[in-house]
Amino acid sequence: EVQLVQSGAAVKKPGESLKISCKGSGYSFTNYWIGWVRQMPGKGLEWMGIIYPGDSDTRYSPSFQGQVAISADKSISATYLQWSSLKASDTAIYYCARLPHIVVLTNNLFGGYFDYWGQGTLVTVSS
Amino acid sequence: ELVLTQSPGTLSLSPGERATLSCRASQSVRSNYLAWYQQKPGQAPRLLIYGASSRATGIPERFSGSGSGTDFTLTISRLEPEDFVVYYCQQYGSSPQTFGQGTKVEIK
């Protein structure tokens, strides 16, 4: 059974750093891209970026480039989403999700839909 | 940026009725790269449809997707009690990939 299990909720202050995780199991972790999706309180979904754990190739949505960092550790089947300096506007639920197929887009970007999702990690940033 | 507009914002229907949800794109969605997701309260989204009309693994036959170009539809043939939740469309044919704002299906 394919599973993506995310780290627990985090409460941080503005300016602090944070790294949340997503661990995959039940499939060949290094052979599928993993993406991160943001859902702000009471709002819709936003595509942040994706990573290929096999070689850590990473592509960001233009809106999130430079705002977050996505990384992976294939030895433990984990991917990460990291902030160096959080803002109150980063308060949201963050989901990791697997992409079963990749579509090549313009500007050297990749895309796709998500077939399996993690349970979400609530990040609250408040002073 | 390709904008997806879902309508209606809220759809009020009774169990057993047919639901028709619309997702309209501001420009043509390349190769019909459009997916639909269902999200229940407090849960992650669940993939229903990809490629505009292909049902994902384990999704009941009452869910179907159709459309091409700029107009796409998710149809639920007969609403079950667990279907009264929020639905999102997503295009993955152009960057940035975008989601619609969602349609909530509520019990009338």
Side-chain angles (χ1 to χ4, degrees):
Chain A
E1 179 194 6
V2 175
Q3 281 195 312
L4 295 171
V5 179
Q6 298 185 229
S7 49
V11 179
K12 292 288 190 178
K13 291 181 166 50
E16 292 185 334
S17 63
L18 176 66
K19 190 175 187 177
I20 62 175
S21 67
C22 167
K23 296 196 74 172
S25 62
Y27 72 100
S28 180
F29 185 75
T30 54
N31 287 349
Y32 289 83
W33 291 77
I34 292 284
W36 287 92
V37 176
R38 181 174 78 176
Q39 187 167 38
M40 299 177 77
K43 301 297 184 183
L45 304 165
E46 299 173 273
W47 211 97
M48 300 177 71
I50 58 173
I51 188 165
Y52 189 71
D55 61 6
S56 290
D57 186 359
T58 307
R59 311 294 168 113
Y60 294 93
S61 177
S63 299
F64 291 92
Q65 178 82 47
Q67 307 305 308
V68 295
I70 296 171
S71 60
D73 184 343
K74 63 183 180 182
S75 69
I76 57 170
S77 300
T79 62
Y80 304 96
L81 181 64
Q82 185 171 9
W83 295 261
S84 58
S85 180
L86 286 159
K87 303 184 285 286
S89 57
D90 293 318
T91 295
I93 297 173
Y94 294 87
Y95 294 101
C96 64
R98 191 184 80 162
L99 291 87
H101 302 291
I102 284 294
V103 171
V104 180
L105 308 178
T106 56
N107 299 324
N108 202 31
L109 295 172
F110 295 165
Y113 61 91
F114 302 103
D115 62 351
Y116 288 93
W117 294 65
Q119 82 277 18
T121 296
L122 174 62
V123 174
T124 304
V125 184
S126 174
S127 55
Chain B
E1 174 175 316
L2 194 159
V3 177
L4 296 177
T5 302
Q6 292 186 241
S7 62
T10 301
L11 188 56
S12 299
L13 294 167
S14 300
E17 287 194 298
R18 181 184 187 90
T20 303
L21 286 66
S22 172
C23 177
R24 179 160 290 177
S26 60
Q27 54 191 274
S28 185
V29 177
R30 175 183 151 224
S31 300
N32 293 334
Y33 286 144
L34 188 112
W36 289 93
Y37 301 88
Q38 177 192 69
Q39 188 174 32
K40 297 180 179 180
Q43 294 188 18
R46 172 195 183 195
L47 176 68
L48 299 175
I49 301 288
Y50 62 94
S53 60
S54 296
R55 216 169 11 251
T57 303
I59 300 303
E61 289 186 4
R62 65 180 183 274
F63 292 94
S64 63
S66 63
S68 64
T70 60
D71 288 298
F72 298 87
T73 300
L74 175 70
T75 301
I76 310 170
S77 59
R78 287 179 57 86
L79 284 163
E80 297 287 340
E82 62 268 26
D83 299 337
F84 291 89
V85 291
V86 179
Y87 296 84
Y88 294 97
C89 57
Q90 177 216 352
Q91 68 82 17
Y92 50 97
S94 62
S95 177
Q97 294 159 90
T98 48
F99 291 86
Q101 83 282 13
T103 289
K104 180 180 181 181
V105 179
E106 66 173 23
I107 298 177
K108 188 174 182 179

